[in-house]
Amino acid sequence: MPEVENKTRAGKREIPIPKPTTGASEDVLRDETDLYGDEAEIAPRRRKRTDARVPIMKKRGETAEETAEPPEEDAEEKPKKKEKTSGKSLPKIAPAKKQKKKKKPKKRRIYRSLYDLMTASGSNGPIKPIRVFGREIRFWPLIILAAVAILAGGVMLNNSNLTITEQTVTVVGLPNELEGYRIVVLSDMNGKRFGDEQSLLLRTLNGLKYDAIFCVGDMVGASGNAEPFWEFIEGLRSPEKVYFICGDSDPGPYIKGARSTEGILSQLILEDWILGAIERGANYVDAPKLIQVKDAKLWVSPATMLNLETTSTLETWQDQTDQEVDGVRSGINDDYTTLPLTTYRTKLAQTLYEAQREMSAADIHIALAHEPPSDEFIYTSEDHDPSVDRFLAAPELVVAGHYCGGVWRLPGVGAFFVPDATLPRGGWFPDQADVAGLSVVGETQKYVTRGLSTNGKVKLLPFRLFNEPEVSVLTLTSTLPENMLEAGG
């Protein structure tokens, strides 16, 4: 039987083992180095296989850690065998460079509505929760938005409502015919509508019992839109009971120059909004007017005429008129342009002169003012001696507006600004008794209504805050109030 040559396997290469001979068997397999030979004799292909322990990158950019299979939990870690070498160190294999793991871009959420954005409050949302008193508040933008909406709705409702304020005014020596005489005081409409064609305002007034309506300025306002004011007059059952004056924001009262059309003197020089109100039945008070109530006389005059000496005023305007008439006859064009206005003012001075002489101590005098007159102004009107000086008698009552209740009021505090430079601190943090309501200055009473709209001189947002529009109703009486009777007792 032929002897089969023993072979041993080294990788894929089979290396023949020589037959042992007598006396040489111990020398043939004395150690492993003789079996595998020197490392340098291994073909280059074999040395490349030593890199097989480095995992092959399956995909470009993946690291060895990503491609390696996770070890089984139950498998015990086997100790690594130390490879015996023939004294020559193996070549060091450079470790594979770890590539940075690229983060996948986060998909941006698309918010299709404001509500969707406002409710995206959370740790993963664009709007993070806030902590208030140790509690986490989510969806806080939605809460703020709801609060703003509620506040805006409340402000709109507050500015559209009307509140009626009743005030009794005691007048010493009031004639019996004027006992219980009721006066509605309105101010600062500023072209605002309360309902369609002033339906809410008219419904409020037509449901009241009153004898006169005093509109104390800024009923049209800086916009110049007179339609709301005219709608108000047209809707009244008795428009002839309306007495109005011009405010600081109203156009006019006089146009620039004179109209070329023919007509009475007032039609030539007064603003259109005033003429429109007069045509609808209202009374424009730019000079004293008499309201006859049976045998009693109630005079209504503009407060600007209280401290005018009637005789000298009439003489001044009469002289001015005569000069302009002479100028017109001489062909002076400027005098021709100004003559209608000068003539109209002379007519007002004549009315003032006659009213001052007709007034008696038994008559009641009410002055209409847009801006509340100062205490000094009222004291001056009381100091005139009717027997010597030619001034209007001091009024028993002055009614005014302009402040609009301060426009913005704080609960429990009141108004913190009114547009009046004559007040202390220029109107900031005023005495609340001066802002609205009834007050006494000497022997004259002064009533200031909160009005219907806003004042452009109040540098705040154009709406009222905690300050409903007001319709004031004054009732004249000769009966002393109970607090005065108790103080006298």
Side-chain angles (χ1 to χ4, degrees):
M1 181 177 181
E3 294 181 1
V4 180
E5 187 178 14
N6 293 329
K7 296 180 180 181
T8 182
R9 185 179 296 272
K12 291 183 179 181
R13 185 179 177 184
E14 293 180 351
I15 302 174
I17 300 175
K19 288 185 195 180
T21 55
T22 306
S25 58
E26 293 179 0
D27 296 330
V28 174
L29 299 175
R30 61 181 181 271
D31 58 24
E32 285 185 333
T33 57
D34 291 339
L35 177 63
Y36 293 101
D38 190 88
E39 185 178 357
E41 296 178 358
I42 301 175
R45 185 176 57 188
R46 172 172 174 76
R47 280 185 291 173
K48 288 182 180 180
R49 286 294 296 170
T50 59
D51 294 341
R53 68 173 179 265
V54 181
I56 300 174
M57 307 304 174
K58 293 184 178 181
K59 295 181 181 179
R60 185 177 183 182
E62 292 183 352
T63 61
E65 295 178 357
E66 292 176 342
T67 56
E69 294 182 2
E72 296 182 2
E73 295 181 358
D74 296 337
E76 295 181 3
E77 187 177 356
K78 297 180 180 180
K80 296 181 180 180
K81 295 181 178 180
K82 294 182 179 180
E83 295 182 358
K84 294 183 179 180
T85 61
S86 59
K88 296 182 179 180
S89 60
L90 294 174
K92 293 183 179 180
I93 302 172
K97 293 183 179 179
K98 291 185 179 180
Q99 298 182 3
K100 293 183 178 179
K101 186 176 181 181
K102 295 182 180 179
K103 294 183 179 179
K104 296 182 180 179
K106 294 183 179 179
K107 293 183 179 180
R108 293 185 177 180
R109 180 179 175 183
I110 300 175
Y111 301 98
R112 302 184 181 276
S113 65
L114 180 62
Y115 176 83
D116 192 15
L117 177 62
M118 290 293 102
T119 55
S121 176
S123 58
N124 297 325
I127 303 174
K128 305 302 181 184
I130 60 175
R131 301 189 71 84
V132 178
F133 300 113
R135 299 187 64 180
E136 187 178 87
I137 305 297
R138 297 169 64 95
F139 315 126
W140 56 269
L142 189 62
I143 297 174
I144 295 176
L145 186 63
V148 171
I150 293 173
L151 179 61
V155 168
M156 291 180 62
L157 185 63
N158 178 273
N159 283 254
S160 300
N161 287 339
L162 289 171
T163 181
I164 300 174
T165 301
E166 296 271 358
Q167 178 66 56
T168 300
V169 180
T170 301
V171 179
V172 178
L174 183 72
N176 293 332
E177 293 84 353
L178 294 177
E179 183 68 37
Y181 193 86
R182 289 169 65 83
I183 302 169
V184 173
V185 182
L186 301 176
S187 177
D188 298 276
M189 181 185 289
N190 284 310
K192 181 179 179 179
R193 285 185 172 91
F194 292 86
D196 187 25
E197 296 182 350
Q198 302 289 13
S199 58
L200 176 60
L201 179 58
L202 292 171
R203 186 166 60 250
T204 301
L205 293 178
N206 290 332
L208 294 173
K209 179 183 176 182
Y210 60 87
D211 298 290
I213 299 177
F214 293 165
C215 299
V216 289
D218 281 0
M219 300 300 285
V220 172
S223 67
N225 181 17
E227 289 293 336
F229 183 45
W230 292 346
E231 291 170 359
F232 157 69
I233 297 173
E234 291 172 349
L236 293 172
R237 296 173 182 172
S238 303
E240 69 278 2
K241 294 183 178 181
V242 176
Y243 296 82
F244 70 99
I245 62 174
C246 186
D248 64 327
S249 296
D250 289 325
Y254 308 119
I255 64 172
K256 295 180 180 179
R259 293 183 176 89
S260 59
T261 58
E262 295 181 357
I264 61 176
L265 194 56
S266 60
Q267 292 174 340
L268 295 178
I269 57 100
L270 290 179
E271 282 280 358
D272 289 339
W273 72 271
I274 298 176
L275 295 176
I278 294 173
E279 291 173 359
R280 289 164 173 80
N283 301 278
Y284 180 49
V285 183
D286 55 354
K289 289 186 178 295
L290 174 62
I291 301 175
Q292 190 78 37
V293 183
K294 297 181 181 180
D295 294 334
K297 293 181 178 180
L298 174 63
W299 291 91
V300 180
S301 68
T304 53
M305 287 187 168
L306 287 180
N307 292 321
L308 290 179
E309 207 283 327
T310 59
T311 302
S312 61
T313 300
L314 178 59
E315 291 175 352
T316 299
W317 284 110
Q318 187 63 59
D319 291 343
Q320 182 68 26
T321 302
D322 294 341
Q323 291 177 11
E324 292 183 4
V325 169
D326 293 339
V328 171
R329 290 173 181 173
S330 302
I332 300 176
N333 189 57
D334 290 343
D335 288 344
Y336 179 82
T337 303
T338 59
L339 180 58
L341 178 57
T342 304
T343 304
Y344 184 81
R345 287 179 167 174
T346 302
K347 182 181 177 180
L348 295 181
Q350 181 68 38
T351 304
L352 172 64
Y353 178 84
E354 294 173 355
Q356 185 271 326
R357 279 152 180 78
E358 188 178 349
M359 281 185 183
S360 66
D363 297 345
I364 300 301
H365 183 198
I366 299 178
L368 307 185
H370 177 61
E371 300 183 28
S374 64
D375 293 352
E376 291 76 14
F377 185 87
I378 295 176
Y379 283 131
T380 302
S381 69
E382 294 178 346
D383 291 339
H384 302 310
D385 186 356
S387 62
V388 178
D389 301 324
R390 296 298 182 180
F391 293 90
L392 290 176
E396 282 76 20
L397 176 66
V398 177
V399 292
H402 184 61
Y403 291 166
C404 296
V407 183
W408 281 35
R409 299 176 64 87
L410 300 179
V413 177
F416 52 88
F417 175 75
V418 291
D420 192 340
T422 65
L423 294 177
R425 297 174 296 279
W428 286 98
F429 307 104
D431 185 348
Q432 298 305 307
D434 296 331
V435 175
L438 187 66
S439 59
V440 179
V441 181
E443 296 180 357
T444 301
Q445 298 183 76
K446 179 172 65 175
Y447 184 84
V448 181
T449 181
R450 295 205 305 260
L452 297 171
S453 185
T454 61
N455 188 309
K457 293 184 178 180
V458 178
K459 305 302 182 183
L460 295 171
L461 296 178
F463 58 85
R464 299 165 73 107
L465 183 65
F466 302 114
N467 182 16
E468 286 189 352
E470 181 180 64
V471 175
S472 301
V473 183
L474 310 182
T475 303
L476 304 183
T477 182
S478 60
T479 304
L480 295 176
E482 294 183 358
N483 57 352
M484 291 184 65
L485 293 175
E486 292 175 358

